[in-house]
């Protein structure tokens, strides 16, 4: 005996499987951010990445947890910026790409897609149907395309 979904009543469209809605949400997110791979560094990226020697090489892992996020005390004097994983991510991106902005942007795009996936799973676990979870994820993911 196989368990298959009950057929939809006449005149009622069948609900798409959750995987389809997830793939659509991820595809929309990718399309919304596709041009990010073609642009260079912006705003504070020059100070945080291009001019920051700390992220131009990979250090021992524990160093990222003991060093400041920014080493330029004249520009950034706030002690509240403690971001060891971001600093490590910047160093890995710099080393793998030689400082290419596209590498940094692709890492951010992958992180954003993982966040969409996590949101979809959370929405489904909280009882959202596949359409609601997929549309909600697509709306949230594409709302921040200026980042």
């Amino acid at each position: 005996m196989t368990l298959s979904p009950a057929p939809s009543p006449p005149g009622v469209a069948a609900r798409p499987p959750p995987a389809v809605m997830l793939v659509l949400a991820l595809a929309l997110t990718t399309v919304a951010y596709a041009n990010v791979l073609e642009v260079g560094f912006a705003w504070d990226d020059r100070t945080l990445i291009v001019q920051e020697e700390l992220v131009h090489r990979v250090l021992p892992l524990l160093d990222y947890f003991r060093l400041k996020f920014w080493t330029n005390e004249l520009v950034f004097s706030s002690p509240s910026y403690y971001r060891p994983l971001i600093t490590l991510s910047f160093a890995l991106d710099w080393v793998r790409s030689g400082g290419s902005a596209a590498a940094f942007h692709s890492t951010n795009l992958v992180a954003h897609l993982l966040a969409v996936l996590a949101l979809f799973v959370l929405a489904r676990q909280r009882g959202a149907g596949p359409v609601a979870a997929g549309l909600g994820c697509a709306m949230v993911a594409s709302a921040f395309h200026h980042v």
Side-chain angles (χ1 to χ4, degrees):
M1 176 178 181
T2 61
L3 296 175
S4 59
S8 298
V12 175
R15 291 185 182 182
V20 170
M21 293 308 298
L22 175 59
V23 168
L24 288 175
L26 293 171
L28 179 68
T29 303
T30 302
V31 168
Y33 289 90
N35 68 337
V36 75
L37 301 176
E38 300 170 10
V39 298
F41 291 114
W43 300 100
D44 59 354
D45 293 342
R46 297 201 186 290
T47 306
L48 294 175
I49 298 168
V50 177
Q51 298 170 359
E52 182 55 70
E53 293 294 324
L54 177 63
V55 301
H56 293 179
R57 65 195 183 286
V58 176
L59 303 172
L61 184 61
L62 292 178
D63 285 356
Y64 293 100
F65 291 91
R66 66 173 186 79
L67 296 172
K68 292 182 179 182
F69 183 54
W70 291 304
T71 58
N72 186 341
E73 291 293 333
L74 296 175
V75 177
F76 305 106
S77 60
S78 173
S80 64
Y81 286 114
Y82 177 70
R83 299 201 168 57
L85 297 180
I86 294 296
T87 307
L88 174 60
S89 171
F90 286 172
L92 293 173
D93 284 341
W94 187 276
V95 168
R96 79 180 168 97
S97 71
S100 166
F104 289 82
H105 296 318
S106 66
T107 297
N108 289 337
L109 177 58
V110 168
H112 197 61
L113 290 169
L114 290 172
V116 170
L117 172 64
L119 180 60
F120 185 86
V121 169
L122 179 65
R124 293 288 291 145
Q125 287 177 343
R126 295 291 184 187
V131 173
L135 290 177
C137 285
M139 288 173 55
V140 169
S142 63
F144 302 107
H145 72 72
H146 66 280
V147 175

